[in-house]
Structure formats: C-alpha cells, structure tokens
Amino acid sequence: MTSQPEHSHRTGRGLDVLALAALILIACSLRPAASSLGPVLSEVQGAFALAEWQTGLLTALPGLIFAICGFIAVPVLKKVGLFGSLVMTCVLITVGVGARALVDGWLSFAGLTVVALAGMSIGNVILPVYVKTRFPDRTNLGATAFTVSLGLGAMFPAFLTAPITGHFDNWRVGLGIWALVPACALVTWIILRAARSVPSLDRPGGDAPEAAPPRRHIFTSSKARYMAMFFGLQSVNAYVQFGWLPQIYRDAGLDPVLAGLMLTVVTLGGIPGGFLAPQIIMRSILPRFFLVSFALSAVCGYLGLLLIPTTMPILWAILLGYGGFAFPAALALITGRTHDVAITARTSAFVQSSGYVLAAIGPLAVGGLLGLSAGWTVPLWFMVGVSTLMGITGFLAASPGTVDDELVPTGTHGVTTDPRGGMPRRK
C-alpha cells in the first residue's frame, strides 16, 4: 500500500482494483434506464394506455435530459465534490429505475424516468474526471474500462429485459431489476471512500489559488467545438439507427425478426469499439485516419441501405457498426485532449451537453423528412451528409494539441495545471 498525498487518496494494487470495479459498475449504470425500456415499450404503453405522443416522448427523453442536465454536472461537482456527485448519480439512477417499475400513473413513470436520466447525465460528464484523477498514469486503462462498460450497460438490458419479463410474466420485474446495477455501484463507491481511495479535487493547502492562470470560456476553444460537433454527429447516427434502422430494413422487404437482428449486429460493435477506439486516441495511433474511417464506413453503410438494402443487409449493418466506433472515440478525446482536471470537467460537460442536443434533434429530423418525402431516399441521403460532416469534425478534433493550450490567455507563458494534483507547472 502506498500513499500519494498529492492525489489526496490512497493507492495500491487492491485499492486500484476496487477503484476500477467502481468505475465499471458506475459506467454500466449509465445506460440501462434508457436501453431497457425499448424491449417492453408496448407493455408499458398498454399498461398506462399511452397515446402516441406520450410514447414518443418517452423515447425522446434520453437525448433531451442528457442535453439539459449535462450542463449542471460541473456546478454539482464543484459544490459536492467527486465523491458526492457520483453518490448522487448512483442514488438518482437507483431510485428512478427501481421506483418507476412500481408506480401506477403515467406522470409518475415519466417523472421517475427523468430522475434516472438526470443521474445518468451527471455520471456521463463526471466519470471522465474520475478517470483523469484516479488513474492519472493509466488513463488509457480507465478510458477503455469506461467505454466498454457503457457498451455493456446498453447491450445487456436491451438483450435481457424481454426474456426476464417473459420469465416472470411481468414487465415491471424486467425494468426494475436493473436498479441492482447502480445499487451495487453505490456500495462499491462507498467502500472505496471508506478506504480513503477516492480522489479529492481540492488543491493542496500550500497552493495559492491565483497560481493557476485564468481560463477563457470553453466555447472559445476550437478543439472543444470540433469535439462537440463530432460527438453530436455520431450521436445523431446512433439515435437514428436505434430508432429507425429496423424499420428501414422492414420497408425494404426484410423479415421483421431479421430486421431486428440487423440492429443487434450494429449495437454489438460497441464492445470491440470500446476496447479499440480509446487505444487509438490515447496512444495516438493515427487518430485522424481512424476517425475519418469510422465516418467513411457509416457513409458506405447508408449508401448500401439506399441502393441495395436487401442484397447484403448484414454488410450494411457491419459497416454501420464500425462507424459506431466513433462513440467511444469521442469519449476518449475528452480525456486524451485535455490535461487539467478542471478543463476535463468543463470539456466533458460542453461536449456531451451540446452533442446530445443534436442527438435529440436527429431522429426527429429523419422522421420529418420521411413524412415529407414518403420514402427513405431523402432521409438516407441526409444521414450520408451527417456522416460526412462527422468525418470532417473528427479529423479536426483529433488534431495535435489540447483544449488547455487554447484556453490559456496570451501572456501566461505556457503555465498550466498538473492533472494529478492541481499543481501549476510549465509546459
């Protein structure tokens, strides 16, 4: 066991394993509230006698809440600290997911869904800060664990909620069981705190606050803006595929079961993507080339759906799945293109909140284009354009340099802050 006072937390092999377990469990908690609803949406709709607009609102809530609540994550982090903010994340998700499976009213169900999504949105922003502070010398490991766990947290509820519902003949069990994941995350997080292994973001007492140079607003960083656009455009791809891809295949003449399987193929890409994309970004393995390749793959997938959708349907799904590697790459950029912990937090909030605005708008735009054009030609060309822009912004976001460099005002002579302890240092 070693002590590192500059981090304000204890480290060691056992504690590092526990810290990684906490990261994995919290990250796995950030998707089930959204991904578990789709498989039992018809049962929920029937139980509450929902109108079409109410069902549509439920499916649109993740993007909307992620966009809105992501902006409050940094103020929450400053107010209650890293430990308190992630406790809040786990508690909100546990209460929201667990209690919504028990209520009898539509408004209560929707309100508790918002509670869970609010916790998820805060965790989305703050976990990259935890990766930066708790694994300062192994951010590659932390970023990979984060992105892979996000994929697992989306995949398993999508696969297992319907079978669990069928086994118990009760959709409430199928939804409510996923409250166990954030509950376990909360217990692990509290144990880590009791072992004094949760980082403190406070500056060491000997540091004068004015030692660090003032920072410009995050929007003034062109890199942060490109990262936000890249994140948003890849989110449009993901949410359009989740919402519309099976219908595109079905309208082309594919069997409904096979059409659903194509979406499964796409979502499975999140697992290898979660492993590989952070390596590309954190180790600087031709990052711009790979980010452009993700976009090009998505373009080819959409063109295949446009021109010959039923000739090689699985090929188009595989291409779109590889294009989905852009999501873990976008998350890895947040930690890979920032140094200072405060900048990581601000960048994470800005990139994700701005990006999820596009994520909420994208599926609505595709639905509107579908209604206006009465076919998939115009919407698919729209998605070709979205993917092309994703490649351009990804190329720019992955360029050398950091957000920190662009936020230091002229005349500070390159002073920045050490990401591991808040100590000022020279570049």
Side-chain angles (χ1 to χ4, degrees), residues 279-297:
Q279 310 293 327
I280 291 167
I281 300 300
M282 305 305 291
R283 297 180 185 275
S284 294
I285 305 172
L286 300 176
R288 288 183 287 184
F289 167 81
F290 278 105
L291 263 59
V292 170
S293 77
F294 301 155
L296 182 60
S297 182

Side-chain angles (χ1 to χ4, degrees), residues 217-288:
H217 191 279
I218 196 72
F219 186 79
T220 62
S221 165
S222 60
K223 184 173 289 294
R225 294 196 301 270
Y226 291 135
M227 288 165 61
M229 287 186 282
F230 177 68
F231 187 94
L233 292 166
Q234 67 80 26
S235 295
V236 172
N237 265 323
Y239 279 75
V240 166
Q241 290 164 19
F242 292 155
W244 291 109
L245 188 61
Q247 193 61 48
I248 293 172
Y249 276 116
R250 290 182 66 176
D251 289 347
L254 223 59
D255 175 84
V257 174
L258 191 56
L261 182 60
M262 293 303 102
L263 179 58
T264 301
V265 171
V266 173
T267 57
L268 284 175
I271 305 304
F275 279 106
L276 297 175
Q279 310 293 327
I280 291 167
I281 300 300
M282 305 305 291
R283 297 180 185 275
S284 294
I285 305 172
L286 300 176
R288 288 183 287 184

Side-chain angles (χ1 to χ4, degrees), residues 62-75 121-122 124-125 227-229 231-232 235 331 334 345-361:
L64 293 172
I65 301 303
F66 285 176
I68 295 169
C69 291
F71 285 111
I72 72 171
V74 172
S121 68
I122 293 172
N124 284 336
V125 172
M227 288 165 61
M229 287 186 282
F231 187 94
S235 295
L331 291 176
I334 294 172
R346 291 167 59 194
T347 303
S348 182
F350 173 70
V351 167
Q352 295 195 54
S353 296
S354 303
Y356 280 122
V357 171
L358 289 177
I361 295 172

